[in-house]
Amino acid sequence: MTAADRTGSLIADPVVATPYGAVRGRYERGIAVFRGIPYAAPPFGLLRFRPPAPPEPWDGIRDAGTFGPTAPKPPYSEAFAPYLSDPVVPGDDCLNLNVWTPDPDPRARLPVLVWVHGGALTRGSSAVPVYDGRAFARDGVVCVSVNYRLGVEGFGLFPDAPPNPGLRDQLAALRWIHESVAAFGGDPDRITLCGQSAGALGVGALLAAPQTQGLVRRAVLQSGAPEAAERAKVRRMVRRMATRLRIPATAEAFAAVDRDLLLRTQAEVGRLSSPVLGGPAFGIVMDGDLVPRDPLAALADGGAAPGVDLLMGWTRDEYRLWLVPGGLTDRVDRLGAVALAGARARCHCGPDVPRGYRALYPGAGTAEIVGQMVTDHLLRVPMHRLADARPGRSYVYEFAWPSGLPGLGACHALELGFVFDSGDVPESRRLAGEGAPRELAEAMHSAWVRFAATGDPGWEAWDATHPVRIFDADAPRTVLGPRDREVALWAPGTGDRVRIPGGPVSRTRSRRSG
C-alpha cells in the first residue's frame, strides 16, 4: 500500500525493524501509524496466568495496519455502556501495542509518551478511539499505547501462580519500548509513562518497581494515586468467583474454565464493588518482587524513581461517573446516614469528618458528600502527600469543566478527550456531550506535550504555596495554597489534617499564570 504526500506523489508505507521482526504501518494524514505490534507471546495455553514471555520472531514484514486483539473482558453494564466505549478485537495475541510517530527515523530522537489505559483493571484497551495518538505525533511526540491482561487473568491472586501478571505485561511493554522506540523516531531517554485511573495505578507501581529504574524519565498520574491493594480483598474476589463456578480457587482450575463463562462470572461478582462503595475487587498487590513495598510509600520517601518528574491530578467531580449511571446518586441520597457510615468505613475516619464536609458543601446531598469524601481519600489526599514528600519536581492539576450531559459534572475520565485532543470522535462526546470547548483541549493537550518534551507543563512546580493548575471553560489558571480547603480525612496511623488543593473554596479567588 502507498500514501500520497502533500505534492500528490506516492510514498511507501513505513516499515520499521523491531527486535522480533519488521512491521509495516500506514501513513495517515502525515503520521506514521503502527498498530497491533506484539511485545509478548499470547498469554494462553501454558502461559495462562504466567508472566509474559517474549513473542515468537517472524520472517518477512508483518502487517501492522489494524489494532491487535484486545484482552478478554466482559462488556460494560447497561448503565455504563452509553458513556464508555470499549471495542473488542477477537484473537489470542492480545499483548500488543500501537505507535504513532511523525518521523520513523532513528535520528529523530523525539520525546515518547507511553499510554496505559484505565478501566478498573477489568475493561478497556488501547483500541478505544479516544486514545488515538495522532495529535501527540502531530505535535512532535511519539505516542505508544499498550494492551495488558485484565480481570482475573491479569490481577487475580492465586496460590499456584505469580501475582500481578497484568502489571508484568506493562513492564514487558515498557522494556520493549525502551529497546525499540528509537527505530520509530523516539528517544529512549525521554520516555513519559502516562496512565489514567487503573492505568495510573499501574504507572505508580511501575515507577516504584526496582526493575524499571532508568526506563522512565517522566510520569503522569491521572485520577489514580499509587497504591497496593489489600491481598485479602483480591482473594475475596477470586474466591467468590470460584464459589459460583464450583471450582477450587487456583489458577489451574480457573484455566480450565470456558473463557466466556469466566468473564460472565467475573462481571456478576464485580457488580458488588465500586470505587465509592468498596467491596471485593482486583488490584495490584505487594509481591516481594515487582512490588516489594507499597508504591506510594516508596515514591514518597524518594527511594524509588529518583529524578523522575511527576504530573498528577484529578477531575473535580470524579465520583459522578461512579454514581450517576444507573441512578446510584438517588439511592445513596435515600440511604442517608447508612451511606455516610459506609463512607466513614471506606475512608477510615470518624463521625466528625462528614460534619466537616457538610460545612464545606452546604446544601449538598448525601451522594455528593460521600463522593467528595471518597475522592479525597482515594485521590486528592495521597497525591497531595506525594507532592509534598517527593524531592523531585511535581506538578498538580484539576480538571473542572462540566460535561454537557445531565448530572455528570467534571466526572472521572472526562478529561481524556482533552488530553488526547480527540474531542472530534463520537466516543469522546459520550461523556462530554456536544460543544466541548476547543480552546480547553488545546490548552490541556499542549501541557501534556510540553511535559513529555521538557518536564515542564507550563505552570509552577509544587512547593510550599501548593500551586494547582485548573482546567475549565475559562483560560487555564493556577491557584495557590492559601485558598486550599482543609480536609479532616485522616490517613491511618497519622492523625493529621491535610489541606487539599482544588475544590470550591480554592477556586473563589485565583491567580492566572502562563
Side-chain angles (χ1 to χ4, degrees), residues 48-49 251-259:
R48 201 169 181 192
F49 297 102
E252 181 181 14
F254 271 64
V257 176
D258 172 78
R259 186 181 298 165

Side-chain angles (χ1 to χ4, degrees), residues 30-384:
I31 302 300
V33 185
F34 302 80
R35 296 183 174 94
I37 305 173
Y39 66 83
F44 301 110
L46 296 177
L47 295 178
R48 201 169 181 192
F49 297 102
R50 297 294 159 183
E56 286 292 329
W58 58 87
D59 296 324
I61 301 175
R62 181 183 181 122
D63 185 70
T66 59
F67 285 113
T70 52
K73 56 189 175 178
Y76 279 112
S77 67
E78 291 183 2
F80 285 94
Y83 299 100
L84 302 171
S85 171
D86 199 10
V88 173
V89 181
D92 286 348
D93 209 355
C94 62
L95 299 186
N96 59 70
L97 50 78
N98 318 294
V99 182
W100 288 261
T101 175
D103 189 3
D105 185 324
R107 296 169 294 183
R109 307 291 287 186
L110 298 169
V112 180
L113 184 139
V114 178
W115 177 248
V116 184
H117 69 81
L121 299 177
T122 58
R123 295 175 175 89
S125 78
S126 64
V128 173
V130 178
Y131 307 152
D132 189 291
R134 184 189 67 82
F136 279 106
R138 175 199 67 199
D139 295 332
V141 176
V142 177
C143 182
V144 186
S145 60
V146 305
N147 284 339
Y148 55 95
R149 277 174 284 182
L150 302 169
V152 72
E153 300 197 30
F155 298 94
L157 190 57
F158 298 99
D160 56 337
N164 302 318
L167 184 65
R168 295 173 192 276
D169 295 342
Q170 295 173 21
L171 174 61
L174 182 60
R175 284 172 166 164
W176 186 100
I177 293 163
H178 193 268
E179 180 180 357
S180 309
V181 78
F184 294 87
D187 184 349
D189 294 325
R190 283 198 293 167
I191 291 177
T192 297
L193 189 59
C194 181
Q196 184 265 348
S197 192
L201 301 185
V203 170
L206 289 178
L207 282 182
Q211 294 89 334
T212 64
Q213 304 309 299
L215 300 183
V216 177
R217 180 64 187 86
R218 302 178 182 101
V220 183
L221 303 172
Q222 297 177 216
S223 300
E227 69 172 22
E230 299 174 12
R231 294 176 72 93
K233 184 176 182 179
V234 180
R235 282 198 188 98
R236 282 199 301 274
M237 187 73 176
V238 173
R239 287 171 179 164
R240 290 183 183 185
M241 289 183 64
T243 298
R244 285 177 179 253
L245 293 167
R246 299 181 179 179
I247 60 173
T250 64
E252 181 181 14
F254 271 64
V257 176
D258 172 78
R259 186 181 298 165
D260 289 338
L261 175 59
L262 196 63
L263 292 176
R264 288 197 303 271
T265 305
Q266 177 181 298
E268 291 168 0
V269 173
R271 286 185 303 174
L272 303 175
S273 64
S274 81
V276 173
L277 305 176
F282 297 114
I284 296 168
V285 300
M286 287 187 286
D287 57 18
D289 173 27
L290 186 57
V291 190
R293 57 184 297 214
D294 179 77
L296 181 61
L299 291 169
D301 67 18
V308 173
D309 301 321
L310 291 183
L311 170 60
M312 52 188 170
W314 49 80
T315 70
R316 185 190 61 195
D317 307 312
E318 297 273 0
Y319 65 95
R320 290 185 182 270
L321 184 64
W322 306 328
L323 292 181
V324 171
L328 279 177
T329 302
D330 292 339
R331 290 172 58 188
V332 173
D333 280 341
R334 288 195 300 269
L335 286 171
V338 175
L340 288 174
R344 285 171 45 201
R346 183 96 171 92
C347 299
H348 311 290
C349 61
D352 60 318
V353 172
R355 289 194 289 270
Y357 277 83
R358 290 286 188 198
L360 281 170
Y361 300 95
T366 300
E368 183 174 357
I369 298 300
V370 167
Q372 291 292 0
M373 284 178 60
V374 173
T375 298
D376 284 343
H377 173 69
L378 294 178
L379 298 174
R380 295 189 184 109
V381 169
M383 286 185 175
H384 180 282

